[in-house]
Amino acid sequence: MPFGASIPSPPPTYLVHHHACWFQVSNKCWIHNGLSGFVPAKRRAMVLPLRASFWDSIKSGFLKNNNSTQVVEPPSTFMEEEDPFPQDIVLLEKTQPDGTFEQIIFSSAGDVDVYDVQALCDKVGWPRRPLTKIAASLKNSYLVATLHLICRSPGTEGIDQKQLIGMARATSDHAFNATIWDVLVDPSYQGQGLGKALVEQLIRVLLQRDIGNITLFADNKVMDFYKNLGFEADPEGIKGMFWYPRY
Amino acid sequence: MQSHGVLLPLRGPSSSLTLSRHLRRQLPPTSFHSSKTPTRPRSLLLPVASAAFTVSDGELETRGFRVRRSTDGLDVAALNDVFTRVGFPRRDPDRLRRALDHGGGGAVVWVEEAKRGGRPGKPVAFARATGDGVFNAVVWDVVVEPSLQGMGLGRAVMERIVAELRRKGVSNIALYAEPRVVGFYRPLGFATDPDGIRGMVYSRRNQKKR
């Protein structure tokens, strides 16, 4: 059972130049490889396959210059023949000198493995939390957003590696307010604007779902990060308060 | 935007309700990255919920108020009326219903003005919380019918919603308070900006242009 919100995705307000279709083949989950069909997923992960036409466009267009990193900006027009519910967005694409093709993908689907979440929390130095609680917190979150790094090595017949490198989640009443918690980026991938993209996309999805009041709590070290994303501390003097935060 | 409406600070006898140190639960210190949970050790014993209330459920009953801990029987239109009387902009009733239906991971506590014959009464005090049910919760829409303020009903719902959340195991309980009601929440155990952690709100007009 996928974690995260169980609400249906709303129609998007803009198109990404490629999209992802959700499907599941029998009870197993398969990763669609654009080159050679399906390969079994390692864990029970619903990975979105990207359409064949996308791979064609990648091969013919985007990889004209090898070793170039493409920043993928979603176009602003909506093309009707595309899937109306794109949940995945490619933020970065890059071909390594050795031919490995990499993508960093944002997803609002909340498809995330608790073990991967725990590993990510370990990497950023958080104290361990029980897996059952992590699972419950994801399940009860209105929105769980992830950043995954997808690597496809040449000559491995297209077996994709998928690694969780960022996550953020929001709780909400599904109507008025949302609160963002646990914004994490793998330290190895920090400093590239991925945290910014993660939060921006999370905000975009919340606004698309008409959640008008987006809130969070931030310490001094990250206050400027959120200010630059459009957050204001103590608006109109309204103070964040916590119950017995100090002994 | 704020977690409550215009609420007069509660008067009346000062309460001795502060959880004494030895009753608070001890957890190992935690440090979290952005969107923060404050660092806070606690003592080992949890207070028994009912022992911690300034005014018990039974006492409220004798005064004609019934404590409710779910949205069953809640008159949404009447609640919306209370919201407008405390100064919230009028909410869309369907959205309000949706918000009330999605309290999973959170909690809701309200006080019903008891009617004779057991008929459902109107809400006169209310608080709800959103959250993930294990780590974090945020309390919203704390209101007391203006004509009934100053009697301890706001305190009553707050004590109980905190107890509900604690009972579920949630230890990080936050809210957003207008400056004039910060003093209402302090004696209930809430502190502003612990460890320098501040509440932030997104505003489209604050967005920097790319």
Side-chain angles (χ1 to χ4, degrees), chain A residues 6-7 73-74 121 124-130 132-142 169 171-185 190 196-197 199-201 203-204 207-247, chain B residues 1-3 17-22 24 26 29-43 91-92 95-96 98-100 102 104-105 128 130-138 140-141 162 166 169 171-179 181-183 185-208 210:
Chain A
S6 55
I7 17 171
E73 292 281 1
C121 293
V124 301
W126 285 14
R128 275 277 172 113
R129 300 184 287 185
T132 49
K133 285 201 169 186
I134 294 176
S137 72
L138 296 171
K139 183 164 179 278
N140 289 326
S141 292
Y142 175 72
R169 63 188 179 92
T171 53
S172 173
D173 55 20
H174 300 222
F176 302 114
N177 310 305
T179 307
I180 298 174
W181 307 97
D182 300 352
V183 178
L184 303 175
V185 175
Q190 288 179 10
K196 183 165 183 278
V199 176
E200 277 176 340
Q201 293 296 329
I203 291 168
R204 174 187 63 79
L207 293 174
Q208 271 180 349
R209 296 184 186 179
D210 212 14
I211 307 294
N213 191 34
I214 301 171
T215 65
L216 53 82
F217 297 94
D219 69 11
N220 279 328
K221 293 196 288 279
V222 295
M223 178 108 353
D224 284 340
F225 171 79
Y226 288 108
K227 278 188 177 159
N228 289 336
L229 286 164
F231 287 87
E232 186 184 347
D234 303 345
E236 295 170 27
I238 290 170
K239 302 298 296 175
M241 301 184 83
F242 287 84
W243 189 76
Y244 281 107
R246 282 199 165 283
Y247 182 68
Chain B
M1 177 171 71
Q2 52 267 36
S3 61
L17 174 77
T18 26
L19 295 172
S20 49
R21 285 183 175 183
H22 73 271
R24 281 179 255 152
Q26 185 95 33
T30 59
S31 69
F32 285 78
H33 196 264
S34 16
S35 212
K36 283 280 266 191
T37 306
T39 306
R40 57 177 185 281
R42 302 201 183 185
S43 57
R91 305 270 181 87
D92 176 84
R95 288 184 81 153
L96 182 52
R98 197 189 327 152
L100 294 168
H102 289 278
R128 65 183 176 93
T130 54
D132 56 30
V134 281
F135 298 131
N136 307 308
V138 182
W140 305 98
D141 295 345
V162 165
R166 295 278 291 157
S171 50
N172 186 30
I173 303 168
L175 54 83
Y176 293 86
E178 260 185 60
V181 292
V182 166
Y185 290 109
R186 272 215 192 91
L188 293 164
F190 288 85
T192 55
D193 302 349
D195 294 341
I197 296 166
R198 292 166 74 187
M200 300 186 89
V201 180
Y202 178 75
S203 170
R204 261 166 276 210
R205 64 170 184 277
N206 287 343
Q207 178 95 51
K208 270 191 178 180
R210 293 194 183 197

Side-chain angles (χ1 to χ4, degrees), chain A residues 86-162:
Chain A
Q87 291 175 299
D88 283 21
I89 298 191
V90 177
L91 298 177
L92 289 173
E93 280 170 350
K94 184 177 182 180
T95 303
Q96 297 286 9
D98 66 1
T100 305
F101 180 65
E102 294 182 350
Q103 288 181 312
I104 293 180
I105 297 184
F106 167 89
S107 176
S108 59
D111 163 41
V112 66
D113 182 311
V114 268
Y115 293 98
D116 292 340
V117 171
Q118 192 176 63
L120 184 60
C121 293
D122 288 348
K123 283 183 186 164
V124 301
W126 285 14
R128 275 277 172 113
R129 300 184 287 185
L131 283 170
T132 49
K133 285 201 169 186
I134 294 176
S137 72
L138 296 171
K139 183 164 179 278
N140 289 326
S141 292
Y142 175 72
L143 184 59
V144 176
T146 53
L147 293 178
H148 280 97
L149 173 69
I150 312 280
C151 292
R152 185 173 320 110
S153 297
T156 57
E157 299 191 342
I159 294 175
D160 288 358
Q161 287 183 301
K162 189 185 181 204

